[in-house]
């Protein structure tokens, strides 16, 4: 279902849009709420998204296969979430 909504998203597009959104939301948080939990949530949002919708690079798909590369992306996402919440 998410494939229909998102379309064909690439890893580079995802990272580009995430960086733009993090900058905007972080500025909004810094000037209004100043919540440290919200700041952690903003930075961990890429890991949360990749946990549920793993977007793999073309090189990973070629080297490891689709299913194995999705597992690697999910492992990296969990590690990223843990690092940003600590």
């Amino acid at each position: 279902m998410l494939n229909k909504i998102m379309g064909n998203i690439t890893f580079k597009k995802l990272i580009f849009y995430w960086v733009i959104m993090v900058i905007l939301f972080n500025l909004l948080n810094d000037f209004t709420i100043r919540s440290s939990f919200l700041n952690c949530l903003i930075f961990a949002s890429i890991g949360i998204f990749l946990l549920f919708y793993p977007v793999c690079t073309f090189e990973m798909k070629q080297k490891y296969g689709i299913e194995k590369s999705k597992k690697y992306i999910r492992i990296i996402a969990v590690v990223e979430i843990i690092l940003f919440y600590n």
Side-chain angles (χ1 to χ4, degrees), residues 2-64:
L2 199 54
N3 286 335
K4 292 179 184 176
I5 296 170
M6 298 296 291
N8 190 10
I9 188 165
T10 62
F11 193 74
K12 290 178 185 177
K13 277 187 198 176
L14 176 69
I15 296 298
F16 175 74
Y17 289 130
W18 178 75
V19 167
I20 298 296
M21 289 178 53
V22 162
I23 291 170
L24 291 176
F25 285 136
N26 202 15
L27 286 173
L28 185 67
N29 182 32
D30 287 345
F31 289 123
T32 58
I33 302 169
R34 296 180 189 236
S35 169
S36 61
F37 175 74
L38 191 58
N39 194 24
C40 292
L41 188 65
I42 290 168
F43 282 112
S45 63
I46 188 74
I48 295 168
F49 180 78
L50 286 175
L51 189 63
F52 295 112
Y53 186 73
V55 178
C56 308
T57 61
F58 180 73
E59 292 82 13
M60 282 186 74
K61 288 180 186 176
Q62 292 295 321
K63 187 173 182 179
Y64 302 114

